[in-house]
Structure formats: structure tokens, C-alpha cells
Amino acid sequence: MSTVIEQSVEARLVAAAPRMQTIPATLSYDRQDPFAVRMTFPAPATLEGVEVCWTFARDLLAAGMHDAEGHGDVRVRPYGYGRTVLEFHAPEGTAVVHVHTTEIRDFLQATSELVPAGTEHRQLDLDHDLAELMRDAC
């Protein structure tokens, strides 16, 4: 069984223009980093012209589909019927995107089949990680 899940989503960039621009994005989840999800935007979709990847808690994404969540760099909230808003805050500015809630729900379902919510700690090999830290410290 694969240890990584990737799903392409259609994100709509909220901008000053009256019509939202559709941009590609990819949600990904890796069993080896069981608490996190990543949302990646390809270079052509970013102001800097380089791929941008945001990493944030899987729990944040799940909770944000129902209520406004997050107080830091990433915030998630429901928007109307069938959309979820993700806000990405950086020193350069804020990006706000809308994603179909069904796409997020499908992605989270796939991640839960790989690592059920509440069992993430079982994926961690703390002895190995501690040994790596100790090796690097010497």
C-alpha cells in the first residue's frame, strides 16, 4: 500500500478582480508525517514564479470545513454551500483560495483510510528519530 496520497484540486484564487481565477493545486499526505497535509501550488500560479508548498495540520483542514479554524499562517473556514476557504498568510501578503468541500472531504477520507484520525502517533518511530537526533548532535 502506498504511503503517500496526492489529490489534485481546483482552487479559486480570491483577488481584487471581480472574477476568481482558477489555479491548480495539489493536496498531499504522507504516512511518515502523519499529522500534516501539504497544499502545493505550481510555479505558474504564484507571484514569485516558483512552486509554493504550505504544510499544516490535517486536523486544521478537517475542522475548518465546519467552523473557522486557525490563528497563524494558515486559516480554514467554510464558505457558503459546498466551498471551503483556505487563507495562507506570509510576510509578502495573503493568498485566499476557495476549494470544493467535496474535494477536501474525499482527500481526508483517503488519508483516514491510510492513517485513521487519532492513530497518527502509531506511525512515529520515536526511538529512530531520537537516535537520528543524537547522531546529528555528535
Side-chain angles (χ1 to χ4, degrees), residues 14-130:
V14 178
R19 187 168 162 91
M20 289 187 281
Q21 174 186 0
T22 299
I23 57 174
T26 302
L27 286 169
S28 60
Y29 179 80
D30 185 338
R31 179 192 305 212
Q32 295 195 3
D33 192 2
F35 292 99
V37 295
R38 287 167 187 73
M39 189 165 202
T40 305
F41 299 94
T46 69
L47 293 175
E48 296 81 18
V50 296
E51 182 178 273
V52 173
C53 181
W54 287 84
T55 302
F56 50 98
R58 176 170 70 161
D59 289 347
L60 173 65
L61 184 60
M65 291 191 313
H66 306 288
D67 292 303
E69 295 288 336
H71 300 288
D73 295 343
V74 179
R75 300 172 192 175
V76 183
R77 69 178 185 278
Y79 181 79
Y81 180 75
R83 296 244 184 219
T84 299
V85 174
L86 292 96
E87 295 180 15
F88 302 99
H89 297 262
E92 300 81 21
T94 300
V96 179
V97 296
H98 290 197
V99 177
H100 290 284
T101 302
T102 55
E103 291 182 315
I104 294 173
R105 190 175 295 117
D106 291 347
F107 170 75
L108 290 172
Q109 177 63 37
T111 70
S112 290
E113 289 172 8
L114 185 62
V115 178
T119 67
E120 295 90 350
H121 65 282
R122 294 182 190 154
Q123 302 300 313
L124 302 175
D125 185 350
L126 296 179
D127 290 334
H128 175 266
D129 293 344
L130 183 57

